[in-house]
Amino acid sequence: MSLIKLHDKEFEPFIDKNRIAKYVKYLAEVIADDLDKDEQPIFIGILNGSFIFAADFVREYPYDCHISFVKLASYEGTNSSGKVKQLVGINEDLEGKTVVILEDIIDSGNTLSEIYKIFQNQNVKSLKIATLFFKPDVFTKALPIDYIGKSIEDKFIVGYGLDYDGLGRNLPDIYQLKA
Ligand code: IMP
Ligand code: MG
């Protein structure tokens, strides 16, 4: 891994793909332990950022499960705008189901609180949140985050599904904005 440039900014190596795989496997094991073996949870990936995480996660999940996706576009550039603009919905009936949200990263928590509002109204059996990365220093909400892969400092990262203005999602490793 070496320094990369996306648009106008430079990013340096931060977390390589082998370590990412360990965080994903760890989350799958902890969640599998926590839920009943026959629970058949619905994992819901938040697009676009979590498409790679969700794909790897479900392949590490050892029991029967469902996977679906919703899209809430709220992010532009390197700062969270604080506005959730769009939802591409979910068609499944979630009533009585165990729902586990899969987020790539939780920053301010704005996206998460929108998602909470939507799923709380659906009479789910239980609603859990799993995120691969978490920035505790900027999280402003009083919402429970049940499963965290790795807490990181408040610096912008790209790769493994995460983008900077549309670029970087395809990088297998994670890079951090260079100071
Ligand atoms: P929040 O609403 O501020 O918690 O931001 C959540 C969403 O913003 C995440 O699902 C990501 O898509 C995006 N995001 C937050 N932090 C970063 C980052 O460091 N790099 C890339 N995208 C990020
Ligand atoms: Mg996202």
Side-chain angles (χ1 to χ4, degrees):
M1 289 171 78
S2 55
L3 211 66
I4 56 158
K5 195 167 183 209
L6 298 173
H7 299 295
D8 56 330
K9 297 205 191 307
E10 285 190 319
F11 296 83
E12 54 195 6
F14 184 46
I15 302 173
D16 72 42
K17 55 175 184 270
N18 298 318
R19 266 178 66 210
I20 301 169
K22 284 184 187 147
Y23 300 142
V24 174
K25 194 170 169 40
Y26 158 81
L27 281 171
E29 285 170 0
V30 169
I31 294 170
D33 265 6
D34 210 29
L35 303 182
D36 193 84
K37 198 170 167 292
D38 306 313
E39 194 80 38
Q40 300 195 351
I42 304 184
F43 293 110
I44 298 181
I46 309 303
L47 294 172
N48 293 330
S50 73
F51 76 111
I52 294 178
F53 167 46
D56 284 346
F57 174 89
V58 290
R59 282 178 287 182
E60 294 289 352
Y61 194 76
Y63 309 128
D64 288 350
C65 63
H66 303 259
I67 176 84
S68 193
F69 292 90
V70 293
K71 179 166 178 140
L72 291 161
S74 73
Y75 215 81
E76 267 156 19
T78 54
N79 277 303
S80 194
S81 67
K83 278 220 162 168
V84 171
K85 288 172 285 191
Q86 191 198 354
L87 167 69
V88 178
I90 174 164
N91 302 316
E92 277 99 318
D93 181 8
L94 300 178
E95 188 165 342
K97 304 277 172 62
T98 297
V99 176
V100 183
I101 306 289
L102 298 179
E103 260 287 29
D104 48 353
I105 186 165
I106 295 173
D107 186 291
S108 67
N110 290 328
T111 309
L112 186 61
S113 59
E114 283 301 313
I115 290 161
Y116 239 82
K117 275 186 231 158
I118 295 160
F119 289 111
Q120 264 175 345
N121 296 331
Q122 304 226 20
N123 285 323
V124 299
K125 180 179 166 195
S126 76
L127 178 61
K128 307 245 183 194
I129 309 288
T131 188
L132 182 56
F133 297 109
F134 178 54
K135 294 180 181 173
D137 298 340
V138 284
F139 184 66
T140 57
K141 309 285 171 181
L143 292 168
I145 301 173
D146 302 278
Y147 312 106
I148 295 169
K150 170 85 177 146
S151 289
I152 58 169
E153 60 190 322
D154 178 26
K155 287 194 181 160
F156 196 80
I157 59 171
V158 293
Y160 196 73
L162 293 154
D163 72 308
Y164 167 49
D165 273 349
L167 295 183
R169 293 194 196 277
N170 58 320
L171 298 165
D173 307 282
I174 304 246
Y175 295 77
Q176 188 179 58
L177 183 63
K178 202 165 171 281

